[in-house]
């Protein structure tokens, strides 16, 4: 069982910044991919950023140059630094981690979501 806890969402004015955090706990042997998704009301969940264990990073076109995904010194943490926020970034943000448990089983876990609201 792998649990994810997110934090860092909130209300910010356009042009402001927020930093989201996601910490994983449980029977984790390794993490292959750490991602941030978001879902706005009425929209499908979309991938915002991803980072692999090998250091490959990918961003949605809409956030390139503004958002930065990074892994924490504690290997089971991932961050999303969001700068120059726009009203269209308003959404619930979810972290998603995939990897292996300590008994060798694949896992894919979602966080509970954290609300980010950007006012104009």
């Amino acid at each position: 069982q792998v649990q994810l806890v997110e934090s860092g969402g909130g209300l910010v004015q356009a042009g402001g910044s927020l930093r989201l955090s996601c910490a994983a706990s449980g029977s984790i042997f390794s993490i292959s991919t750490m991602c941030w998704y978001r879902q706005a009301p009425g929209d499908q969940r979309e991938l915002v950023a991803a980072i692999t264990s090998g250091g490959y990073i990918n961003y949605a076109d809409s956030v390139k140059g503004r958002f930065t995904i990074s892994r924490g010194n504690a290997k089971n943490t991932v961050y999303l630094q969001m700068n120059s926020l726009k009203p269209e970034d308003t959404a619930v943000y979810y972290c998603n981690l995939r990897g292996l448990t300590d008994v060798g089983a694949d896992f894919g876990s979602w966080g509970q979501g954290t609300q980010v609201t950007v006012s104009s």
Side-chain angles (χ1 to χ4, degrees):
Q1 194 81 327
V2 176
Q3 298 84 35
L4 306 183
V5 177
E6 301 167 14
S7 60
L11 173 64
V12 64
Q13 288 188 330
S17 299
L18 285 173
R19 189 191 195 207
L20 306 183
S21 301
C22 176
S25 62
S27 305
I28 299 171
F29 175 73
S30 64
I31 296 174
S32 60
T33 308
M34 309 172 99
C35 304
W36 286 97
Y37 287 77
R38 67 185 180 187
Q39 188 169 18
D43 290 347
Q44 290 188 331
R45 191 170 296 188
E46 64 172 350
L47 178 65
V48 175
I51 184 169
T52 70
S53 58
Y56 175 77
I57 294 175
N58 185 46
Y59 294 102
D61 288 343
S62 59
V63 306
K64 282 180 181 176
R66 300 188 298 120
F67 290 12
T68 302
I69 189 171
S70 62
R71 302 180 70 139
N73 290 330
K75 66 174 183 177
N76 295 345
T77 58
V78 62
Y79 303 101
L80 186 68
Q81 178 66 43
M82 305 185 293
N83 298 328
S84 302
L85 283 161
K86 304 175 181 180
E88 50 264 43
D89 294 318
T90 295
V92 178
Y93 284 70
Y94 299 89
C95 66
N96 171 262
L97 271 59
R98 297 191 288 274
L100 290 175
T101 68
D102 56 6
V103 294
D106 292 324
F107 76 88
S109 296
W110 290 91
Q112 80 282 4
T114 185
Q115 177 70 47
V116 171
T117 303
V118 185
S119 62
S120 57

